[in-house]
Amino acid sequence: MNTFGQIFRLTTFGESHGEAIGGVVDGMPAGIPIDVDFIQQELARRRPGQSHITTSRQEQDQVELLSGVFEGKSTGCPIGFIVRNTNQHSNDYDNMRDLYRPSHADYTYSIKYGTRDHRGGGRSSARITISRCVAGALAKLALRQLGIRIYAYTSQVGNIALEGNYTQYDLNQIESNIVRCPDATKAEQMIRLIEEVKADGDTIGGVITGVIQGCPPGLGSPEFGKLHAQLGAAMLSINAVKGFEYGEGFAGVTQRGSEQNDIFTMGHDGVVTTKTNHSGGIQGGISNGQDIYFRVAFKPVATLLREQPTVDINGNETILKARGRHDPCVLPRAVPVVETMAAMVILDQFLLQKTTKM
């Protein structure tokens, strides 16, 4: 399962400490202007070493588009791309060759494949999300033509959380601080918490909120192709994700139906709309034209820069002291990954809708 999507499809390859990360995007509509600077900007938002609260690994993550683009526009043919790894410190992982790191994929990969790449987790590394960000940037370029905008931001780190929903913040302020939170006061608190956790050699998790604006009604399909199910599957495929909810989510279970129902009304433009949006822009698994909003929970990064008990490949108890360069909190760099998965889902569903309705 190295391929994502039905019409807009991404197939990825590569490992954390291999020669390169790359992929092939198939189904990109023809004639879309390809802004390479924008794609590079999206990669810069994900890349390591961008601030003191992220891993210090230094990678410029320069993308090379190999096919599918002619005279600055997509041709409709597969777009192949690579991003070369240039700053691997594989020796940092030598002491982990025969150990199972707690809460990592070492043991499960060994059981499934009979082998594993111990250098940075190999294929299980979050560095693999580079390919998603390239494909997501391409999807965003196509969605621009449709007036669809996608945002994500850090809404919680540890016990520090934004009290309001996305409508109470200026989403243009997301990139104004290194934690990617649209509330400057909360952002400073989040940054201080991450600094404290990092100083202790520990890690912390949190929540990223996603918002999709301008999505037309009609995307998604019953029974097993519901739009929220597609978004949930996409988000849960991201490294370290432990939960997904959309609309009011779990908070809505304390309300009554009379409080939760979104009442239909006729908008000023003569289009049916709703007075509220508790449903999160999706009803019956199909978009209703309102903003789609969701939340994604990320666990603390599993690699700690402190001693942890574990076992080796022979089952002997031992102590692991991790070395290397690791994120104390994945959220700042995961924000663009959440956006990219949402972009791929929405474009794929839009293209599917075009094939099912004349």
Side-chain angles (χ1 to χ4, degrees):
M1 295 298 293
N2 296 300
T3 298
F4 178 85
Q6 300 176 71
I7 294 182
F8 182 86
R9 295 165 60 89
L10 166 67
T11 300
T12 74
F13 66 84
E15 296 84 31
S16 177
H17 286 232
E19 291 296 321
I21 308 296
V24 176
V25 171
D26 204 358
M28 179 71 176
I32 303 297
I34 302 301
D35 185 343
V36 178
D37 289 339
F38 173 75
I39 299 172
Q40 198 60 58
Q41 175 187 316
E42 292 294 278
L43 286 175
R45 296 173 67 215
R46 194 225 69 94
R47 76 173 181 84
Q50 60 186 270
S51 78
H52 70 282
I53 60 171
T54 66
T55 171
S56 60
R57 179 172 176 169
Q58 293 297 319
E59 297 275 6
Q60 294 307 307
D61 290 346
Q62 292 290 323
V63 65
E64 301 174 40
L65 300 182
L66 306 177
S67 63
V69 179
F70 180 66
E71 295 183 340
K73 293 184 178 182
S74 58
T75 64
C77 298
I79 299 177
F81 63 88
I82 61 170
V83 175
R84 299 184 187 278
N85 295 325
T86 61
N87 191 230
Q88 310 97 309
H89 288 182
S90 299
N91 291 339
D92 287 343
Y93 297 88
D94 285 349
N95 68 318
M96 307 178 199
R97 178 184 291 272
D98 296 327
L99 303 182
Y100 293 136
R101 294 172 296 168
S103 286
H104 273 281
D106 300 344
Y107 175 72
T108 51
Y109 266 56
S110 295
I111 292 298
K112 183 173 181 63
Y113 297 109
T115 185
R116 68 180 174 91
D117 185 346
H118 67 283
R119 305 165 305 165
R123 185 69 172 158
S124 69
S125 169
R127 185 156 177 76
I128 306 305
T129 58
I130 285 174
S131 297
R132 303 179 186 217
C133 285
V134 174
L138 292 168
K140 283 184 178 182
L141 290 173
L143 293 175
R144 276 183 185 176
Q145 313 298 309
L146 305 172
I148 299 173
R149 302 170 303 281
I150 297 176
Y151 304 90
Y153 61 88
T154 300
S155 54
Q156 182 171 345
V157 174
N159 61 358
I160 300 172
L162 300 186
E163 286 85 10
N165 67 25
Y166 74 96
T167 62
Q168 298 173 255
Y169 301 100
D170 181 358
L171 300 186
N172 293 316
Q173 296 300 309
I174 293 171
E175 296 295 320
S176 65
N177 55 74
I178 58 177
V179 79
R180 295 196 164 94
C181 171
D183 183 305
T185 301
K186 288 289 187 180
E188 285 301 318
Q189 296 175 11
M190 292 174 179
I191 292 168
R192 285 198 296 271
L193 176 57
I194 296 172
E195 290 172 340
E196 293 170 7
V197 166
K198 180 180 179 181
D200 289 338
D202 215 332
T203 61
I204 192 77
V207 176
I208 290 175
T209 295
V211 182
I212 305 169
Q213 296 180 331
C215 183
L219 304 192
S221 58
E223 163 82 356
F224 303 108
K226 292 181 172 68
L227 183 56
H228 57 267
Q230 302 301 312
L231 285 169
M235 300 305 154
L236 289 165
S237 74
I238 301 172
N239 304 57
V241 168
K242 287 294 186 179
F244 170 83
E245 63 177 0
Y246 74 102
E248 293 293 322
F250 288 101
V253 303
T254 60
Q255 296 180 319
R256 299 188 178 189
S258 55
E259 299 172 291
Q260 273 279 303
N261 283 353
D262 293 316
I263 304 301
F264 288 106
T265 186
M266 184 62 71
H268 297 300
D269 55 0
V271 176
V272 172
T273 185
T274 58
K275 293 184 176 181
T276 55
N277 189 19
H278 301 296
S279 301
I282 302 172
Q283 293 169 327
I286 300 171
S287 62
N288 66 4
Q290 302 302 304
D291 290 349
I292 297 170
Y293 61 96
F294 56 88
R295 289 159 48 90
V296 186
F298 285 78
K299 72 172 184 175
V301 175
T303 299
L304 312 183
L305 295 182
R306 55 164 65 178
E307 292 186 349
Q308 293 185 87
T310 188
V311 298
D312 63 22
I313 58 176
N314 297 311
N316 302 310
E317 293 186 357
T318 185
I319 297 295
L320 167 66
K321 177 61 184 294
R323 300 192 297 265
R325 303 156 296 175
H326 307 280
D327 289 288
C329 178
V330 74
L331 273 75
R333 296 176 58 216
V335 163
V337 182
V338 168
E339 289 181 3
T340 204
M341 296 310 295
M344 285 195 286
V345 168
I346 296 301
L347 180 57
D348 193 38
Q349 292 297 311
F350 178 82
L351 295 173
L352 279 168
Q353 174 67 2
K354 288 181 65 176
T355 69
T356 59
K357 182 179 179 182
M358 296 297 291

